[in-house]
C-alpha cells in the first residue's frame, strides 16, 4: 500500500517504517530463510528475486499495509544508525473488505529471537491499530 510510503510511526519501544526494497537483502531475506520463521508464518522459502517481487507487490496492493519494526532504543542510541541495523521484524495490516476499511487483520513478526518477549510486538500492533483506525490521507 502506497498510503504509508512516507510515514514513520514512533513509539517508546519501536519505530515503524515503510517496508522498502532496501530492507530485503540486508535482513528480511535472511530472516525468511529460517525454517522456524517459515513454519510460524506459514511461508515458503523464496529466492532473493522472489523476495524483491513480494516486497514490490505488497507495496502496490491496496489491501496490504506493511511496516518494518525497528528497535527504538537502538535507533535512537546510535547516531547515524541504519534502519537495517535496527530491524527486528514487521507488522502488517490486511484489509479484508476494500468497501469497508474498518474490517481487517493485523499480524506481527518479531524475527530477531533476542528481541522477543520484550513488548516490541505488542507496541507494534497497538501502533498499527491506531494508524489503521484513522490513516492519513495523501494530503496530510
Amino acid at each position: 500500500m502506497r498510503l504509508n510510503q512516507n510515514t514513520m510511526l514512533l513509539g517508546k519501544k519501536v519505530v515503524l517504517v515503510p517496508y522498502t526494497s532496501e530492507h530485503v537483502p540486508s535482513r528480511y531475506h535472511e530472516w525468511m530463510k529460517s525454517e522456524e520463521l517459515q513454519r510460524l508464518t506459514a511461508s515458503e522459502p523464496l529466492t532473493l528475486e522472489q523476495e524483491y517481487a513480494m516486497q514490490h507487490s505488497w507495496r502496490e496492493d491496496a489491501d496490504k499495509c506493511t511496516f518494518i519494526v525497528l528497535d527504538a532504543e537502538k535507533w535512537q542510541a546510535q547516531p547515524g544508525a541504519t534502519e537495517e541495523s535496527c530491524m527486528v521484524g514487521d507488522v502488517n495490516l490486511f484489509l479484508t473488505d476494500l468497501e469497508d476499511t474498518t474490517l481487517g487483520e493485523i499480524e506481527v513478526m518479531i524475527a530477531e529471537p533476542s528481541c522477543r518477549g520484550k513488548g516490541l510486538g505488542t507496541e507494534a500492533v497497538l501502533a498499527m491499530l491506531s494508524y489503521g483506525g484513522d490513516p492519513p490521507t495523501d494530503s496530510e
Side-chain angles (χ1 to χ4, degrees):
M1 176 177 290
R2 289 181 173 263
L3 182 64
N4 75 324
Q5 70 183 351
N6 296 312
T7 302
M8 178 185 290
L9 305 176
L10 302 172
K12 291 180 181 178
K13 296 180 180 186
V14 299
V15 177
L16 304 184
V17 297
Y19 181 32
T20 69
S21 61
E22 287 79 24
H23 299 120
V24 173
S26 57
R27 301 290 290 280
Y28 202 88
H29 183 62
E30 293 304 312
W31 287 337
M32 297 315 295
K33 290 179 182 178
S34 160
E35 289 182 14
E36 176 192 24
L37 286 179
Q38 290 172 18
R39 182 178 49 78
L40 292 172
T41 61
S43 300
E44 296 293 324
L46 301 176
T47 66
L48 183 57
E49 293 76 22
Q50 290 170 320
E51 200 74 67
Y52 274 117
M54 182 76 71
Q55 181 277 324
H56 179 77
S57 75
W58 283 44
R59 180 175 169 235
E60 300 301 319
D61 287 351
D63 63 344
K64 296 177 183 76
C65 182
T66 299
F67 285 96
I68 292 294
V69 179
L70 307 180
D71 180 325
E73 186 177 322
K74 283 184 184 178
W75 179 251
Q76 295 165 348
Q78 301 173 9
T82 64
E83 290 178 3
E84 292 77 14
S85 69
C86 300
M87 288 172 60
V88 298
D90 70 358
V91 61
N92 306 288
L93 172 64
F94 301 100
L95 300 176
T96 55
D97 182 347
L98 290 177
E99 298 297 316
D100 183 355
T101 58
T102 64
L103 297 176
E105 59 185 73
I106 291 178
E107 68 175 30
V108 64
M109 172 183 74
I110 301 301
E112 290 294 328
S114 65
C115 296
R116 296 177 187 157
K118 298 181 177 183
L120 282 75
T122 299
E123 187 173 285
V125 167
L126 292 173
M128 184 63 98
L129 279 170
S130 179
Y131 176 75
D134 188 25
T137 62
D138 289 336
S139 61
E140 291 183 356

